[in-house]
Amino acid sequence: MKKILPTIALGSMLALQVQAAENKDFNYHVDNFADIEVLRYEVPEFNSLSLQQKKMLYYLSQAAQAGRDIIWDQNGRYNLRLRPVLEYIYVNFDGDRNSAEFKAFETYMKQVWFGNGIYHHYSNDKFTPGFSQTFFDSEFAKIPASRLNLSEGESTADFQALLDKIIFDPTFMPKKVSQDSSKDVVTESAGNLYEGVTQQEVEDYYNAMKDPADLTPISYGLNSKVVKKDGKVTEEVYHLNGLYGPAIAKIIYWLDMAKSVAENDAQREYITKLIDFYITGDLKLFDEYSILWAEDTKSDVDFVNGFIESYNDPLGMTGSWESYVNFKNREASARTEAISSNAQWFEDHSPINPIYRKPEVKGVSAKVITASYLAGDAFPSTAIGINLPNANWIRAAHGSKSVTLENITEAYALASIGNGFNEEFVIDKPTSDWMDKWLYATDMLHTDLHECLGHASGRLAPGVDQDALKEHGATLEEARADLFALYYLPDAKLQEIGVLSDPEAYKAEYYKYMLNGLMTQLNRIELGKDVEEAHMRNRQLIAKWVLEKGKKDKVMELVKRNGKTYVKINDYKKMRTLLGQLLAEIQRIKSEGDYKAGNELVQKYAVKIDPKLHKEVLDRYAGLNIPPYRGFINPVYNVVKDDKGEIIDITLDYTESYPDQMLRLSRENSNL
């Protein structure tokens, strides 16, 4: 499970200002287009690593790059056919590159790169081109036939007509992931995870496989596409000799290279198990790999590589391909280790029904990491925290591994200094000053608690299917983890274990969270549309529920000042009580698999937006010029060899531009 960085900026904290001044030669800002800003992140301490560790990070970065085409294909069945056409036009255009048509085409190209396909990474809506069909058709006609990826029997004219429909017809496959529970979410979703099947057929197919009495259930559907062949529902499994085989072969090669420089036997063993999984597609092997990976707490270099998170599946089953490559930040990890070592205390004191608490919390490990490469569904847009494995039974029996990507969070924060956000949206100067002082620290702690303990907490009742909440599973799980973190931020236990010095510091995070959930995240949504993305639904659900339930006691209000709406929190302590009550209910819903109650909660609080407030937020943001979305490009790994061809060093370069990186990745990693 991931924690996605909220819309709100982290504030102009004094410590970050000092850090920015000391690091003034590092430029975090790379590109800006449409509703997106592209940043770069620094990899501190990379040069202090051993050559063996640098080699491993390099090999893992190559394994990460090798899977790029997989996420593109998962995101839409035509993405890999369209991308080379767009890139050919972008590179070879011989007209006026400052013309309105080309500039609009360039923006579209950059959006498609960022979304790993033709759909927005957050809203899931298909991108709307700002250039004309006439412009596209004219440039398409200049592409040599040998450069077109034509299907068998397909003419150039047919291919052009198909691309015209994909790009310019807003009614053709308009949304990657549909969460509209009043409709068939499988047939309404354009992502390339299902073909020719209905939601009911998919559910029946997997329900026939599941054994409710199995205490170690397989995550069915995690690595497959469900299709109908000759009238029969079946799976196309992702593995070496199956779907995505050529890309998986490259991943295996680089994982094998990484295994040759593994830090210890435990790491070598789980890499071997992951390779075996990629070869066979056997999900039992993936579970075995996940257990070995979760139990390795000694390695400094670490990574995720595979079909992991299921946010892009309307049924929450199929994992999108992704990779994180990283190494441990030992100094900062003292914070997460203090939290995780007290996991049982937090579980025992949780406000949920005791029957849904874990009587014995096992293997909760946590660390702060330095990200060194992002790929697949984690690139360019990335999470700031991760807790894996996702399988509930593995968490219960073997534990989980939680990480906080501190250099990513720092990059977001340092790039946000002085952006005017607090002045526009925070209700008064004392609140703004308190956020400046404590928001960075409490936001990091919220991530730690969310990932280290929130996702790892609680348990299912016997016989409850882990997929019982269907399309709302991701929203409710993220809400559960957020609520766990919010509930414990004010707790004296955090002072006792030495991770937060001021007992009132939590108010900075509470204010930010409610402001974001009620107002500022709306900047990411087109006027008139609903909230779709799981993390955004989660935040709005929590904030709106607290606003409603606390109305009688005026725990929190939306107030008007000088014609502008502000969030006003009157009673932080009562707010914590309400958060605990909602946590208890969402844990009950998950533990019992109560789809009806979960659906009612999501539909009432998480989806709909007040259009007047929405327009106000958009108008106020427009005056700040703060992009709603941000993501990153990776540093470039440069391999230094001696005259015998042996690697003697690896260095990082931070100067590559956004288009140059994307074009290079396409040249070097078009594996499907």
Side-chain angles (χ1 to χ4, degrees), residues 271-371:
I271 295 175
T272 300
K273 192 69 70 173
L274 178 59
I275 291 172
D276 291 343
F277 162 69
Y278 269 130
I279 292 171
T280 64
D282 184 346
L283 284 168
K284 288 185 178 180
L285 290 176
F286 183 74
D287 285 344
E288 292 173 11
Y289 149 75
S290 298
I291 293 168
L292 293 171
W293 176 81
E295 291 178 343
D296 174 27
T297 58
K298 295 182 179 179
S299 302
D300 282 338
V301 174
D302 205 352
F303 72 101
V304 173
N305 186 301
F307 306 99
I308 310 297
E309 304 289 359
S310 57
Y311 302 110
N312 287 326
D313 180 354
L315 297 182
M317 299 178 72
T318 303
S320 297
W321 190 89
E322 67 178 37
S323 184
Y324 291 85
V325 182
N326 61 83
F327 57 93
K328 187 174 183 179
N329 180 332
R330 289 189 170 275
E331 182 178 354
S333 291
R335 181 183 74 238
T336 52
E337 288 165 357
I339 292 170
S340 61
S341 65
N342 285 277
Q344 191 66 58
W345 185 93
F346 286 100
E347 184 77 1
D348 292 344
H349 291 81
S350 174
I352 68 174
N353 189 323
I355 65 173
Y356 301 133
R357 296 176 188 158
K358 287 181 178 176
E360 183 181 0
V361 179
K362 295 183 179 180
V364 175
S365 66
K367 60 183 177 180
V368 177
I369 63 171
T370 298

Side-chain angles (χ1 to χ4, degrees), residues 1-3 217-219 222 286-287 289-291 293-294 304 306-311 316-320 322 358 385-396 399-401 450-451 455-457 460 466-467 474 477-478 480 590:
M1 295 292 178
K2 302 176 183 176
K3 184 181 184 234
I218 290 173
S219 299
L222 186 68
F286 183 74
D287 285 344
Y289 149 75
S290 298
I291 293 168
W293 176 81
V304 173
F307 306 99
I308 310 297
E309 304 289 359
S310 57
Y311 302 110
M317 299 178 72
T318 303
S320 297
E322 67 178 37
K358 287 181 178 176
I386 313 164
N387 182 278
L388 294 171
N390 284 328
N392 286 291
W393 73 268
I394 295 179
R395 292 176 185 272
S400 61
K401 188 185 290 185
H450 173 111
E451 298 297 345
H455 284 308
S457 67
L460 300 181
Q466 64 181 2
D467 301 316
E477 173 58 22
E478 293 305 320
R480 192 179 72 91
K590 175 164 183 172

Side-chain angles (χ1 to χ4, degrees), residues 42 45 88 149 166 185 211 279 340 366 540-541 565 603 640:
E42 193 172 14
E45 305 302 322
Y88 185 93
N149 183 15
I166 292 167
V185 294
D211 178 2
I279 292 171
S340 61
Q540 179 168 288
L541 187 162
T565 306
Q603 298 302 335
V640 182

